[in-house]
Amino acid sequence: MPIVRAELDELELPLVTPFATSFGTQRRRRILMVRLHADDGSLGWGECVAASEPRYSAETVDSARAVIDRYLLPVIFREANPTPLRFQRAVAWIRGHLMARATVEMALWDLEAQRRRRSLASLLGARRRRIPVGVSVGIERPVAALVRRVGSYLEAGYVRVKLKVKPGWDTRPVAAVRREHPDVPLWVDANQAYPPSSARSIAGWVRALDVAIIEQPFPARALTAHAELGRQLGGRVALDESIEDLTGFSDAVACRALSALNVKPGRVGGLVPARALARRCLRSRIPAWVGGMLETGIGRAFNVALAATVPFSLPGDISASNRYFARDLVDPPFELRSGGTLDVPQAPGLGVTIDERRYRACLRRTIVRRRSR
Ligand code: OSB
Ligand code: MG
């Protein structure tokens, strides 16, 4: 099934509450969406996780759009029968731009699942029909407001909490949440904010406050620092930004820099590499979970399908639609079920229905490209 037309849409959605991390605050999401039209009339969706500014990583909405337009779409248009695997092979020469690559790859997964009349989850080999999920909680002052926010999420049913931390925002807020919720599985994520020299002090409060996982405390390349912290804590150190491919994963395992992995399809270039990493985690007995990047229901559907596959043993950073948006792009939205779970869509393809009116209301600009024949 050749792809005959592609749209690069840019959307804007306000977040229900600002999301602050060590690298900045997001109040709204600017989102690049790719829509691939096959010649049989079917349509595949891909959501890019790059943000407006290069804070989490180097990629942005604008860099991803340029790379997709200039390098990735031509590959797609050239193929008589593009599949996720063929696409990955055809773009293997491109350095970096993994979020851009993942966007197009995922749209091809959507098409592939539709063509086979199977849900994406089942195509990926999923076994679960619902997945346990946690919630990632941004920096929010004062501490009392953060504690209330966490309380409302726990009341809603999330099974674990991940607090964003940074130097100057760690012991006080984490201790306050721990005091209020003595038994909740508590993780923290620093998004690279600490200098490697702070391993000892971090180990102190992580132990004292019974923090189960500390994610990416040090800069992405600082594998040795993560290994040192892991040694002091007897594990508990998870990586996110540090790991972009299998080679990086192997090196990190070899130097004992990680004891758990946040797997984000966007960060690693798509579902093919994400699944490969997850399988390696399973073989290396490294617990893994599916991360998130404040996706809409469209990007979320890919994360949910991936999280339903066997290698993932930890609850994902995949919350219900209403944790992010007053109105999602999909209808029905993702809702939190009992036991802190989300249902895995079972319909063919992505398994979600796009709310066309809502989509149009959020749409800011479109670029259309056609296959030349
Ligand atoms: O580091 O995991 C992260 C959101 C944006 C950028 C980076 C991260 C996050 C999250 C949110 O933690 C997870 C979610 O989508 O709920
Ligand atoms: Mg993270």
Side-chain angles (χ1 to χ4, degrees), residues 108-128:
L108 291 173
W109 274 107
D110 182 12
L111 284 171
E112 183 75 6
Q114 291 176 49
R115 198 170 61 78
R116 298 187 186 221
R117 294 189 166 72
R118 289 176 66 184
S119 70
L120 175 64
S122 86
L123 193 58
L124 291 173
R127 300 275 177 80
R128 305 181 190 123

Side-chain angles (χ1 to χ4, degrees), residues 19 23 56 136 162 164 189 191 215 240 262 264 292-295 317 319 324:
F19 187 71
F23 57 77
Y56 166 82
S136 175
K162 171 170 130 181
K164 291 292 184 177
D189 184 1
N191 291 105
E215 176 178 340
D240 177 354
N262 178 335
K264 294 173 178 168
M293 298 283 287
L294 313 178
E295 290 89 346
D317 290 332
S319 304
Y324 309 95

